Amino acid sequence: MRFRLESAHPYPFMRCYCSICRKTAGSGGYGINLAGDYGTLKVTGKKNISVYRALLMDEETGRRTRSSGRRHFCKRCGSALWLWDPSWPDLVHPHASAIDTALPVPPEHTHIMLASKASWVEVQAQRKDRKFEGYPDESIADWHRRLGLVTAVTPRARRKRRGGATS
Ligand SMILES: [Zn+2]
């Protein structure tokens, strides 16, 4: 299958160490989530896609609930593709590992969900990197804004920034 989308926020800076991302999309101990415009997502070969909704357990009550996040993966090759959550329907979060287009190198990183990190994983943090035990206080779009890295979507740039994946 193949997919493509557009994003004004294409830097792969956010490393998520939560147990779901690291197990489904990150053998290095974390997954890297991007943010794109769901309205631009185009998929070919949809029949090869499966959706996984993780079971979340509340540590205090022991109650289990399904994650609202829909993790899309290729059922032929197992590649993690993207997450879509109806709570933020305009966004789609592809995994950087699924994108063929060359992505820009981030000047700094954000490490999130460190409370869920596997014990053997060493956080490779650079001097300016931010670290969070849980969710960050800054969205993917806000990170790009703070660092002046939001790219205006023009027709020419749009072609360049398109991401795609093949399997
Ligand atoms: Zn995660």
Side-chain angles (χ1 to χ4, degrees), residues 16-22 31 33 71 112-113 135:
C16 183
Y17 297 78
C18 87
S19 63
I20 310 165
C21 286
R22 64 181 160 85
N33 307 300
R71 288 178 163 77
I112 72 168
M113 305 299 279
Y135 286 110

Side-chain angles (χ1 to χ4, degrees), residues 17 21 36-37 39 41 52 66-67 73 77 90-91 93 99 124 143 149 155:
Y17 297 78
C21 286
D37 179 354
L41 181 67
Y52 171 59
R66 284 276 163 210
S67 166
F73 65 97
C77 72
D90 298 337
L91 295 176
H93 295 287
I99 302 296
Q124 308 280 330
W143 181 95
L149 298 173

Side-chain angles (χ1 to χ4, degrees), residues 37-54:
D37 179 354
Y38 185 68
T40 66
L41 181 67
K42 295 207 169 51
V43 183
T44 50
K46 279 194 182 127
K47 66 175 188 330
N48 292 321
I49 295 178
S50 265
V51 173
Y52 171 59
R53 288 182 65 189

Side-chain angles (χ1 to χ4, degrees), residues 7-165:
S7 172
H9 311 110
Y11 281 74
F13 73 94
M14 188 179 277
R15 301 182 178 179
C16 183
Y17 297 78
C18 87
S19 63
I20 310 165
C21 286
R22 64 181 160 85
K23 288 179 182 180
T24 60
S27 62
Y30 54 84
I32 301 184
N33 307 300
L34 303 171
D37 179 354
Y38 185 68
T40 66
L41 181 67
K42 295 207 169 51
V43 183
T44 50
K46 279 194 182 127
K47 66 175 188 330
N48 292 321
I49 295 178
S50 265
V51 173
Y52 171 59
R53 288 182 65 189
L55 207 49
L56 307 175
M57 194 173 75
D58 186 311
E59 275 174 26
E60 277 160 33
T61 65
R63 232 183 100 232
R64 285 161 178 270
T65 49
R66 284 276 163 210
S67 166
S68 58
R70 273 88 167 149
R71 288 178 163 77
H72 292 65
F73 65 97
C74 176
K75 61 187 175 194
R76 290 185 67 199
C77 72
S79 297
L81 301 171
W82 69 81
L83 177 143
W84 180 76
D85 192 317
S87 318
W88 300 278
D90 298 337
L91 295 176
V92 60
H93 295 287
H95 288 293
S97 51
I99 302 296
D100 290 334
T101 304
L103 298 170
V105 176
E108 61 176 71
H109 305 88
T110 300
H111 306 264
I112 72 168
M113 305 299 279
L114 286 167
S116 307
K117 183 180 80 56
S119 60
W120 54 269
V121 175
E122 297 170 275
V123 177
Q124 308 280 330
Q126 294 164 11
R127 199 172 51 85
K128 286 180 166 174
D129 287 8
R130 295 184 172 187
K131 297 183 195 172
F132 298 89
E133 289 299 297
Y135 286 110
D137 60 8
E138 184 179 56
S139 72
I140 291 179
D142 287 342
W143 181 95
H144 284 76
R145 255 175 245 132
R146 174 169 58 85
L147 295 170
L149 298 173
V150 180
T151 0
V153 179
T154 62
R156 179 176 288 267
R158 185 177 284 164
R159 204 171 309 132
K160 282 195 200 135
R161 271 200 315 284
R162 267 184 186 156

